[in-house]
Amino acid sequence: MSKERENNFDLLRILCTVGVILLHISSIFMNGVTDEASLGGLYQQYTWEVCLFYVAPRFAVPCFVMLSGAFILADDKNADFGSFYKKSWKKLGIPTLIFSAGYTIFSIMKSVIYCGGAFTPDMVIGPLKYWAVGFPYYHMWYLYMLIGLYVMAPAVILVRQHVSEKAFELAAWGLLAVGCLSGMTSTYTFFWDFGYSFCYLGYFMLGYALHKKFLTKKYNTHGICMILCGVLIEYVIAILWYQQAVIGEQATFWGYSIIEPLSPMTACAAILIFMGFARLDIKMNFGRAASDTFLIYLIHAAFVTVYHAGIKYYMGVDADARIMIPLGVVFTYAASGVCARVWEGMFSRIVKRKEKF
């Protein structure tokens, strides 16, 4: 497998990271449409813009999973269980534990501050319970779900090696359909539940299949058309979401939110966008920025929390979402990027010191 970076997927990874930040920044306004506690009153201005900001980035999580599958499942070396798990522990396991502990402490500190310095045992017990179920902070669920996919990855590669590419792709589509149905009809207590990870296995496998299919079939016009079709579906989702939001209800498929990663409309939009990027031939190199995205994802939630606190206590319902949401995305991405570079610098120095000894 070539180790050269693929600029199209590097760009998609960056856009997915920006999308996740956009989703989380806009959530305080979206919640404020129906919940007075969010902004100190109901947010009744620029509701359409808020819905658009809130729905537009829903492609990000499915695309993140497909990006992981595209490269992990393509490397036959990852069929070695021991080697792959050892590598994954360093890449995924250790950062997950470190940031889980950090966000648990952050949650405790936040509770103490909100209560004016008062402390109760529940302020510690609550965050620890959330960590136990794989939800130490609202964005960390993805890392715990991903653990299950990483555990399954070597076995999936062994299966791939013994079936045709067409059969593997058909299996991916079938598993995605089952995963969406399961996600819409089942409840999972733990985000590290293998059943929950299995719901995303179709995305994981489809990422490899679509990447393989379009690896040598680059055509920018087709790629752009596919992306625009995916964006159009998201626009329709935003309209449906807005129509329900203005009357205080949630747009759903049989009780399951239409904007969740496993909803059919979100799946269609994300797959079209992924396929579109797979077909793009991009000359510009985004490798350095793309390499920061994992740490930016881990770090950004802390800055989102600070930004939300500033909006709530200094602006409240008078905040202009059209300005504050884009501004928040820029601030959060930039601040998280700086912290990511600092983290990488510190980590590299620690590794070098260990090598000396």
Side-chain angles (χ1 to χ4, degrees):
M1 183 184 69
S2 173
K3 294 184 179 181
E4 292 183 4
R5 300 206 65 97
E6 297 187 38
N7 298 329
N8 52 338
F9 283 134
D10 278 343
L11 178 58
L12 178 58
R13 185 172 282 107
I14 294 167
L15 291 177
C16 287
T17 306
V18 173
V20 169
I21 295 173
L22 173 59
L23 165 63
H24 293 156
I25 289 290
S26 61
S27 64
I28 191 172
F29 294 98
M30 192 72 253
N31 293 337
V33 173
T34 56
D35 183 6
E36 293 185 3
S38 184
L39 286 167
L42 291 179
Y43 192 77
Q44 298 178 330
Q45 56 179 334
Y46 312 123
T47 308
W48 164 245
E49 288 84 352
V50 170
C51 288
L52 199 57
F53 281 131
Y54 190 65
V55 172
R58 293 294 169 165
F59 70 93
V61 167
C63 283
F64 268 140
V65 178
M66 286 187 280
L67 283 167
S68 294
F71 295 102
I72 290 174
L73 299 182
D75 190 349
D76 288 334
K77 293 179 181 178
N78 292 334
D80 183 329
F81 286 80
S83 175
F84 178 71
Y85 290 158
K86 183 178 180 180
K87 179 174 64 176
S88 298
W89 169 248
K90 294 179 180 179
K91 182 179 178 180
L92 179 67
I94 292 175
T96 297
L97 287 179
I98 291 173
F99 278 89
S100 293
Y103 277 112
T104 298
I105 296 170
F106 184 71
S107 297
I108 295 169
M109 293 173 59
K110 189 170 66 172
S111 297
V112 172
I113 292 171
Y114 284 167
C115 292
F119 178 80
T120 64
D122 286 340
M123 292 179 181
V124 176
I125 295 173
L128 288 176
K129 285 182 177 179
Y130 279 117
W131 187 358
V133 302
F135 197 78
Y137 218 62
Y138 59 79
H139 68 308
M140 294 293 292
W141 71 270
Y142 176 77
L143 278 299
Y144 284 88
M145 178 279 296
L146 204 60
I147 289 172
L149 292 179
Y150 272 56
V151 170
M152 290 184 274
V156 174
I157 295 171
L158 291 174
V159 171
R160 174 184 66 73
Q161 291 173 341
H162 291 85
V163 300
S164 66
E165 296 291 343
K166 184 176 181 180
F168 189 83
E169 182 180 346
L170 287 174
W173 286 109
L175 285 171
L176 179 59
V178 172
C180 288
L181 181 62
S182 180
M184 293 170 60
T185 58
S186 305
T187 301
Y188 299 92
T189 302
F190 302 101
F191 287 93
W192 44 263
D193 186 325
F194 269 65
Y196 187 62
S197 296
F198 184 81
C199 292
Y200 288 85
L201 182 59
Y203 279 132
F204 196 62
M205 293 170 59
L206 201 57
Y208 163 81
L210 295 177
H211 176 226
K212 181 80 172 181
K213 176 181 286 189
F214 297 119
L215 189 60
T216 58
K217 298 178 180 178
K218 304 297 183 183
Y219 192 51
N220 286 349
T221 302
H222 287 178
I224 292 171
C225 287
M226 288 176 176
I227 294 169
L228 290 177
C229 287
V231 171
L232 180 61
I233 292 174
E234 291 208 318
Y235 188 78
V236 173
I237 298 173
I239 293 173
L240 297 174
W241 187 259
Y242 172 73
Q243 290 175 342
Q244 294 300 110
V246 294
I247 61 176
E249 296 182 5
Q250 188 180 90
T252 63
F253 288 112
W254 300 287
Y256 185 78
S257 172
I258 66 171
I259 61 175
E260 293 302 315
L262 295 170
S263 73
M265 292 184 74
T266 300
C268 289
I271 291 168
L272 281 167
I273 290 172
F274 183 87
M275 290 172 64
F277 273 91
R279 299 216 67 179
L280 294 182
D281 183 16
I282 298 176
K283 303 302 181 184
M284 186 177 294
N285 190 307
F286 300 96
R288 186 64 184 93
S291 66
D292 291 334
T293 53
F294 179 60
L295 282 173
I296 289 174
Y297 180 89
L298 290 171
I299 295 167
H300 83 276
F303 288 106
V304 171
T305 299
V306 173
Y307 192 74
H308 281 176
I311 291 175
K312 180 176 181 178
Y313 291 106
Y314 291 104
M315 299 180 186
V317 293
D318 295 324
D320 189 333
R322 300 171 303 174
I323 298 173
M324 300 311 299
I325 291 175
L327 186 64
V329 172
V330 173
F331 159 74
T332 302
Y333 192 94
S336 301
V338 171
C339 289
R341 295 290 175 91
V342 171
W343 175 280
E344 289 173 348
M346 292 173 58
F347 184 77
S348 63
R349 285 196 291 270
I350 291 173
V351 171
K352 288 180 180 179
R353 288 179 181 178
K354 286 185 176 181
E355 290 176 348
K356 289 182 179 179
F357 292 99

